Amino acid sequence: MLSLTFLLTCGFSINVFAQSDSQPDAIDVLTALGAKNVSGVSGSQGDIPAGIPSKQIRFNDTSYALLNETGDIVRINRLDEIDRLYSDSECESRHSSNFNSTDDVMKYIEENIAGPAYKLTARNCFDETTISLRYEKELSNGALDNFDSYSVFIDVKYNELVSLYKRESSYVERKSGSLISSEEACDIVSGFLDAEMSVGSFEVELATVKTNNNFNESATTGGVELAYIVKNEAVMVYVDAYTGEVIGGDYFKAVSGGAAGATELSAASDSVALVKSTLQSMGYNSAFTWKNAFGISSSSGNKAFPGWSGQVAITAASSQGDDLPVSFTGDRNDNGYYE
């Protein structure tokens, strides 16, 4: 569980930012979610995201919420509070939820925090007592903004919200201009894929993406744009929904072998990034040396594994100064996995 330290101000009079018309008062929402003994601290105290004008509201000793400048709730953290229900029998005996079921908690969040513009796009079992939910904003054309979202965790044993996090998107929806068709997007992708990458039929989704130059060296990287995500068994390609320009994409991993990283990460580059970050968390620094056995340019970064046909080693210096190799295996179908 996350350990948090807060500046305590007893008896603080809360004067929250002006609440947006579409949502109820934040204090009322938090109270309905189980908040008691509410106090608050103005300004950038505690775990407040950089660059977001906000107010912090503390409740139930260790829990808190953050409001943005319009008074909307952008974060709720009750990790320590919910953890006490499992570790402290006295806390558990006093507990009484305001909700009869997990679905009741979901419905309240959808109606009073997220609002009708956000659609439930994922529901998963995080662990044996917690479910994770993801809500994404639906644009006027029906596409989803993958970067304007709420991540929600609910405890299914006690019917309590555990945490909520609002992710802000940099995408600005256009008020003019027409979209190319999905058929045109498929034709664009078919025009540059070689025979090895043209595996299976295309699936197409209209959504926001983060641009990269994996398939187009002149593409701007790191921006958020509306695109057709055109994918088959081998690749997914981002085609700008307005201009038809290829603005990014990635390769998919092999199904066979041990995937480098979590199985839910379908792209090879995501897996390499996860492997690196995991090694760092185990005491290795970021000085990874790639044994360039297959002619891969040093500028390829975290891209997929084109042309690999054998093993390649990463040497990472640990905090103790030792060098330990990590062996990866790749094949000629642009898939990478580790042994």
Side-chain angles (χ1 to χ4, degrees):
M1 289 296 179
L2 183 64
S3 176
L4 301 171
T5 301
F6 296 98
L7 175 63
L8 303 181
T9 305
C10 297
F12 189 91
S13 177
I14 300 175
N15 182 19
V16 298
F17 294 104
Q19 193 78 16
S20 58
D21 294 337
S22 60
Q23 302 288 36
D25 182 81
I27 301 299
D28 292 339
V29 171
L30 294 173
T31 300
L33 289 170
K36 301 179 180 67
N37 306 318
V38 177
S39 62
V41 178
S42 297
S44 56
Q45 303 287 346
D47 185 24
I48 296 179
I52 300 179
S54 58
K55 177 175 287 291
Q56 181 189 107
I57 299 174
R58 286 195 60 256
F59 58 93
N60 300 355
D61 295 331
T62 56
S63 299
Y64 75 96
L66 299 181
L67 279 60
N68 63 14
E69 60 186 352
T70 61
D72 296 319
I73 296 172
V74 294
R75 185 174 297 183
I76 299 174
N77 189 317
R78 302 177 66 191
L79 292 171
D80 289 349
E81 176 190 347
I82 302 303
D83 189 42
R84 287 196 299 273
L85 295 177
Y86 288 91
S87 60
D88 188 327
S89 58
E90 184 177 348
C91 287
E92 183 182 28
S93 65
R94 295 197 307 263
H95 173 260
S96 177
S97 176
N98 292 334
F99 303 96
N100 295 320
S101 68
T102 300
D103 288 342
D104 287 346
V105 183
M106 289 177 56
K107 182 178 180 181
Y108 187 83
I109 292 168
E110 291 166 0
E111 293 179 350
N112 296 280
I113 298 181
Y118 291 83
K119 306 301 178 184
L120 179 65
T121 59
R123 173 173 175 161
N124 298 296
C125 291
F126 181 73
D127 58 30
E128 63 272 16
T129 62
T130 313
I131 62 169
S132 64
L133 309 169
R134 180 177 174 85
Y135 295 87
E136 296 178 356
K137 186 176 181 179
E138 185 175 37
L139 304 176
S140 60
N141 54 26
L144 293 174
D145 186 350
N146 296 318
F147 302 93
D148 190 341
S149 63
Y150 287 91
S151 296
V152 178
F153 291 83
I154 298 174
D155 185 278
V156 298
K157 178 179 179 180
Y158 295 108
N159 296 324
E160 295 285 6
L161 173 69
V162 179
S163 67
L164 176 145
Y165 182 87
K166 174 68 164 67
R167 186 183 184 189
E168 301 290 341
S169 176
S170 62
Y171 178 70
V172 178
E173 191 168 3
R174 299 191 190 186
K175 297 182 179 179
S176 60
S178 57
L179 303 179
I180 66 172
S181 68
S182 59
E183 291 78 13
E184 290 174 302
C186 289
D187 289 341
I188 291 168
V189 175
S190 296
F192 75 87
L193 287 185
D194 57 27
E196 190 174 15
M197 293 291 97
S198 299
V199 181
S201 58
F202 285 134
E203 295 179 9
V204 185
E205 175 190 0
L206 181 63
T208 56
V209 300
K210 183 163 288 187
T211 61
N212 60 57
N213 58 5
N214 286 354
F215 296 103
N216 179 4
E217 292 184 356
S218 63
T220 303
T221 62
V224 177
E225 299 292 345
L226 183 66
Y228 286 103
I229 305 172
V230 182
K231 53 189 175 183
N232 60 15
E233 296 176 12
V235 296
M236 58 180 172
V237 181
Y238 307 151
V239 179
D240 190 294
Y242 291 95
T243 68
E245 179 188 7
V246 174
I247 55 176
D250 213 331
Y251 299 90
F252 288 121
K253 297 182 304 192
V255 176
S256 60
T263 55
E264 63 268 22
L265 299 178
S266 58
S269 60
D270 292 335
S271 287
V272 175
L274 180 60
V275 169
K276 287 185 177 181
S277 64
T278 301
L279 286 171
Q280 291 169 12
S281 70
M282 295 170 64
Y284 293 87
N285 63 27
S286 59
F288 294 95
T289 303
W290 290 81
K291 302 294 185 179
N292 196 357
F294 308 106
I296 303 171
S297 69
S298 59
S299 63
S300 63
N302 283 342
K303 292 182 182 179
F305 304 74
W308 289 19
S309 58
Q311 288 191 337
V312 60
I314 300 175
T315 300
S318 73
S319 57
Q320 288 76 34
D322 301 323
D323 288 343
L324 297 175
V326 180
S327 294
F328 283 79
T329 299
D331 59 33
R332 293 190 180 279
N333 293 322
D334 301 296
N335 299 303
Y337 48 92
Y338 74 93
E339 294 184 333

